[in-house]
Amino acid sequence: QVQLVESGGGVVQPGRSVRLSCLASGFTFSDYVMYWVRQAPGKGLEWVAVIWFDGNKKYYADSVKGRFTISRDNSKNTLYLQMDSLRAEDTAVYYCARDLHDCSSNNCYLRDYYYTMEVWGQGTTVSVSS
Amino acid sequence: DIVMTQSPLSLPVTPGEPASISCRSSQSLLHSNGYNYLNWYLQKSGQSPHLLIYLGSNRASGVPDRFSGSGSGTDFTLQISRVEAEDVGVYYCMQALQPPLTFGGGTEVEIK
């Protein structure tokens, strides 16, 4: 079945770096746009980043731009989030999510593309604390 | 950035009764193709979010037909025709039009 499994979370000191991974299975990973979404303790959902199926387009939330990098390795069915210069406010559960569209049968570069997280992982927790 | 505002913050409901949640966007989510770029998600306690509605009114796979989405432009509503105990959790709307993608603050649905 379709599954996303995040890993790499833990406790990290402010200013340090950590890399999250999301291993996908049960679908053709290289055909889907992928996301990172986070949720601070007791708070709502915050979109972090999105990467196109082929890696050619990436967008970031202003709160992480210049510090976080989203990437993917389609040969390993894995999505990554490199998180540098971490701050206390980055403390959150980080979810990876798969888009609704199969880009092998939909033109995901069309102007009418809409962003929809359909499948979510269970999340991995990052705590930034000294 | 598009700001998403939900109301109410909390919604006590009686099983078997209807319920509705409002979501407002700071700019129109109506695309030139006629579709509203608005999604609804539900996050149950201790779980990951899951997709309920996309493009304003399309139910995601496996979502019961007691859930429906309506609205256009900047004003949207999620309706539950007859609430069941399993529907408790936090509901979020999200604009699907353009990055930065933004969520509403959430509406917590609880049983009275």
Side-chain angles (χ1 to χ4, degrees):
Chain A
Q1 75 279 22
V2 175
Q3 197 171 10
L4 299 171
V5 178
E6 302 94 335
S7 61
V11 180
V12 60
Q13 292 179 326
R16 303 300 289 262
S17 300
V18 70
R19 188 178 79 160
L20 305 184
S21 300
C22 171
L23 179 62
S25 59
F27 65 97
T28 304
F29 179 70
S30 59
D31 288 341
Y32 287 85
V33 171
M34 297 293 296
Y35 304 85
W36 288 101
V37 177
R38 69 184 180 183
Q39 186 169 37
K43 302 296 184 182
L45 301 173
E46 180 188 15
W47 168 75
V48 172
V50 60
I51 184 169
W52 243 243
F53 63 100
D54 53 10
N56 286 342
K57 281 208 302 185
K58 305 174 186 180
Y59 296 104
Y60 298 91
D62 286 346
S63 57
V64 307
K65 202 174 294 181
R67 300 188 300 122
F68 290 11
T69 303
I70 189 171
S71 63
R72 64 193 297 159
D73 186 335
N74 286 344
S75 68
K76 295 182 179 178
N77 291 342
T78 303
L79 176 72
Y80 301 102
L81 186 67
Q82 177 67 38
M83 306 165 65
D84 299 325
S85 303
L86 281 162
R87 306 167 180 167
E89 53 265 37
D90 296 318
T91 294
V93 175
Y94 285 76
Y95 297 100
C96 75
R98 191 202 79 177
D99 192 75
L100 176 68
H101 305 86
D102 176 349
C103 297
S104 69
S105 51
N106 297 275
N107 186 344
C108 292
Y109 281 102
L110 288 178
R111 279 185 67 250
D112 62 353
Y113 183 84
Y114 56 95
Y115 299 82
T116 299
M117 302 106 179
E118 183 193 21
V119 178
W120 296 68
Q122 86 289 348
T124 187
T125 300
V126 174
S127 295
V128 183
S129 172
S130 53
Chain B
D1 298 2
I2 300 175
V3 177
M4 306 298 293
T5 305
Q6 286 183 235
S7 61
L9 209 60
S10 177
L11 182 61
V13 297
T14 301
E17 294 296 306
S20 71
I21 298 168
S22 174
C23 175
R24 181 165 291 179
S25 58
S26 62
Q27 65 187 70
S28 178
L29 301 183
L30 179 61
H31 195 278
S32 56
N33 62 13
Y35 290 99
N36 284 281
Y37 282 30
L38 187 282
N39 300 337
W40 288 97
Y41 296 87
L42 166 60
Q43 185 176 32
K44 299 182 180 180
S45 180
Q47 296 184 17
S48 306
H50 69 268
L51 177 66
L52 291 175
I53 302 285
Y54 63 96
L55 288 179
S57 60
N58 293 273
R59 274 188 301 276
S61 175
V63 174
D65 60 8
R66 65 179 180 274
F67 290 93
S68 63
S70 62
S72 185
T74 61
D75 289 285
F76 301 92
T77 302
L78 176 70
Q79 293 179 305
I80 311 173
S81 58
R82 292 173 303 279
V83 173
E84 297 189 5
E86 66 182 26
D87 300 335
V88 299
V90 182
Y91 291 76
Y92 297 93
C93 60
M94 188 203 89
Q95 62 87 6
L97 184 63
Q98 62 194 39
L101 306 176
T102 44
F103 291 89
T107 294
E108 184 166 16
V109 171
E110 56 185 18
I111 298 294
K112 280 183 183 175

